[in-house]
Amino acid sequence: MTDNIVLPTQARVVIVGGGIAGLSVAYHLTKLGWRDVLVLERHKLTSGTTWHAAGLVGQLRATHNLTRLAKYTAELFTGLEQETGVATGFRKRGSLAVAATADRWIELKRGASMARHFGVDAHLLTPAEARKVWPLLHVEDLAGGLFIPKDGQTNPVDTAMALARGARNGGARIVEGVAVTGITTRSGAVAGVRTSHGDVAAEVVVNCAGLWGHAVGRMANVAVPLHAAEHFYVVTEPIPGLSPDTPVLRDPDGANYFKEDAGKLLVGWFEPVARSWDERNAPDDFAFGTLPVDMEHIQPQLEKAAARVPRFGEAGIRTFFNGPESFTPDDRYLLGEAPELRNFFVACGFNSIGIQSSGGAGMVLTRWIVDGHPPMDLWDVDIRRVMPFQANRAYLRERTEETLGLLYAMHWPWRQVETARGVRRSPLHDRLAVMGACFGETAGWERANWFAAPDEVAEYAYSYGRQNWHAASAAEHRAVREAVALFDQTSFGKFLVQGRDAEAVLNRICANDVAIAPGKVVYTQWLNEHGGIEADVTVTRLDESSFLVVTSAICQMRDLAWLRRHTPEDMRCTITDVTSAYVVLGVMGPKSRALLSAVSPADFGDEAFPFMTSREIDLGLARVRASRVTYVGTLGWELYIPTEFAAQIFDVLLEVGEPLGLKLAGYHALNSLRLECGYRHFGHDITDETSPLEAGLGFAVAFDKPGGFIGRDALLQQRGRPPRRRLVSVVLDDPEPLLLHDEPLWRNGERVGITTSGMFGHSVGRSIALGWVHHESGVDAAWLAAGRWEVEIACARFGSRVSLRPPVTRTKTAPEGGPARSST
């Protein structure tokens, strides 16, 4: 009886939620020697979502590190039954994904290339070979299949109970029937939880509440953007001859998956338009509850499933099931320490891949809790990517209707979400729209990715080849190289750092020296204690006690949290997020000086306005801050304009720029321009696992500045010897193939690296990329030059040139490396 529950008054860690994620966190904490671990479950273990999960355990995910986590989960489940004595039902039956279109076949082949590089055994199959692996499969319309023999499936409830047994064996206490009703805080850190059975003080609280993760986040004033959707599956009557060793079948073009289940078929789907579900409407006793089955909604999926597996269409259906699962706005789960509250961690929003993610997520999150930092680059799922507005219920409800289906939709290059759009707009948005802008979305911002001609429609036509914006973006690219272009870069994150101790605070955080004269700009990284890059920013000194820090849109919350948490409480220094206060216009190209001189009395010459200088100027009828920086490798300025003046300045620049050949340019052109010059992008090319020396950014490190900086000792150990891995520039020999990212790099027939970001370089007439290569004896120019290089794209190899130098020589106004800005 729950009335007899007596909770401890304190625990080192309180985990909220007894699903597979919470139990995995408890299990892994005890493996690290933490004993005072308390798991609180409002109903029964595995209630909510875990109990009705399909139990698929795939290894290949969208990125290298997410694949590493999924592989770890499979390895953990392999030995969990023997360790705990609890049967899990885990079996490595393999998985087969099939392609019904030529484009899907390209997607699968690109996935196979990536899988093999990541160490996942993957095999491309012809349709006939696919039928041998899955005899009930209709293959006449298929292009091929991807078979991963070591993928598995497990019983979710039994596996969760095995983790619970392991956690208890390690000293954790797991209590059912206790609802968490509040989160207590003290001085910006979590202090414990309030429950239906009393308060519990805690050093750390972990939100593993699944469907209720959003509500638990609200208790702590932490944005946890997830929303439930209805997820349907059916189970057939027994099918004679269906082998228990049948692999999981995924038919993404039909949005269906098929799993053998005790001689029957379990068939589920991720339909293109989902039905959202609000957990607040559930009764208090909703634990192992189900939702009504809507036959009209699922009928199209039943027909597609029957077409792919005709035997399914002939079998009777024993069970129609509908249960809720929670989704995030970008289909990637939420992991890590919340930026709003110290020692409040999150592990939820698993987007229907919670079982296969649970082991890896629990392992890395507990390392983060114990060590104070993540053990690897987790930016793909880091909760610090979240914007506060994304916890808005109306936004989540609308987006969730799309995100469920995106799991199996075509993962087109540059695909843009279609729902919950228009949330964050530059004041110039409507002007750009009238002038042909095709917008993409990043961190909720609507940003012009390219501009359509007056007789063209400003919308994407997706493909794996040259998309419909290729020519338009090429013209914008050439305008920057040959004339002048105007970029709306308002989405930059912008922080005002002020106070008597502002310089001391920033100089400790920044690897470069920001003890500079007012009016100067510094490009710098922020490092962790291991020398990994935590942020990639510019710092402008406004006056003796004020600085402006500028970062990319997606890193706004991450970098703001890092800055605040590394500002000592006894320092006289304030930090203000002024992102919304300024419009930013990038005026870039060899004629940018002529354009600005025509609308401002300021002297923009090299001597009066040298590179990395920033000052306030009169421009048009307003006063703005002009900073001479570039992310495109040519002469240019960024104009920081108080929001209310932006429209007038924009209009003046357009009018005066017309005779100079001014073009509006978007983020696709910005990306191709920066890659030609080798400019790095945080989250793709550089991460918290890479150091400035490995990334070719040593010029931005001030080793000898007074007082040092965070990460200096780690960098000193790397200094003076060739790094074993380096970031390099890649140029294809063949002008036809396109580079995107995650294409393996081969040297003399040996796989030695992978690309991180790619684009077509219009100045060089072929695809270009940045990528990492590895050599135990050190990577230097001689080793690169001595090799025969190839890039693997969709399982085919193409000759390339690989160098430490970029293909386009930077002008004297654009030094090596940066400043880096977000281009995605």
Side-chain angles (χ1 to χ4, degrees), residues 662-675:
L662 175 70
K663 285 189 72 69
L664 294 175
Y667 274 79
H668 289 333
L670 191 68
N671 201 24
S672 60
L673 289 158
R674 69 98 181 172
L675 280 167

Side-chain angles (χ1 to χ4, degrees), residues 664-787:
L664 294 175
Y667 274 79
H668 289 333
L670 191 68
N671 201 24
S672 60
L673 289 158
R674 69 98 181 172
L675 280 167
E676 286 186 339
C677 297
Y679 290 164
R680 284 70 167 136
H681 175 267
F682 183 83
H684 288 89
D685 312 313
I686 52 178
T687 71
D688 58 10
E689 287 191 282
T690 57
S691 81
L693 302 185
E694 296 169 328
L697 299 174
F699 68 91
V701 178
F703 281 100
D704 300 326
K705 68 176 177 178
F709 54 89
I710 299 170
R712 178 178 181 273
D713 291 344
L715 289 192
L716 286 174
Q717 296 178 22
Q718 301 176 23
R719 200 177 184 187
R721 54 183 172 83
R724 288 180 294 177
R725 60 175 181 168
R726 290 291 299 271
L727 191 65
V728 297
S729 284
V730 181
V731 181
L732 284 183
D733 295 335
D734 188 333
E736 290 305 312
L738 298 181
L739 292 175
L740 304 172
H741 53 77
D742 291 318
E743 294 99 356
L745 297 171
W746 294 75
R747 180 184 184 273
N748 297 340
E750 178 185 3
R751 193 166 47 224
V752 296
I754 197 164
T755 63
T756 51
S757 53
M759 203 80 176
F760 190 87
H762 299 284
S763 302
V764 298
R766 59 204 66 233
S767 281
I768 52 179
L770 288 173
W772 286 94
V773 297
H774 180 273
H775 183 227
E776 276 300 314
S777 299
V779 177
D780 56 20
W783 180 78
L784 294 174

Side-chain angles (χ1 to χ4, degrees), residues 11-72:
R12 192 173 190 183
V13 181
V14 172
I15 299 168
V16 183
I20 198 165
L23 296 171
S24 177
V25 171
Y27 170 88
H28 285 93
L29 278 173
T30 63
K31 290 295 183 183
L32 295 177
W34 283 33
R35 301 288 180 261
D36 190 10
V37 176
L38 177 63
V39 179
L40 299 179
E41 165 55 46
R42 57 183 279 170
H43 291 299
K44 294 290 185 181
L45 296 185
T46 76
S47 62
T49 299
T50 298
W51 73 276
H52 64 73
L56 310 185
V57 185
Q59 299 174 83
L60 180 61
R61 305 308 307 158
T63 67
H64 186 189
N65 284 336
L66 293 186
T67 299
R68 286 167 64 184
L69 298 189
K71 285 181 63 180
Y72 171 83

Side-chain angles (χ1 to χ4, degrees), residues 431-439 448 450-454 456-459 664:
R431 280 173 163 78
L432 299 178
V434 168
M435 303 182 77
C438 183
F439 294 97
W450 56 282
F451 287 84
E456 296 176 339
V457 178
E459 62 183 33
L664 294 175

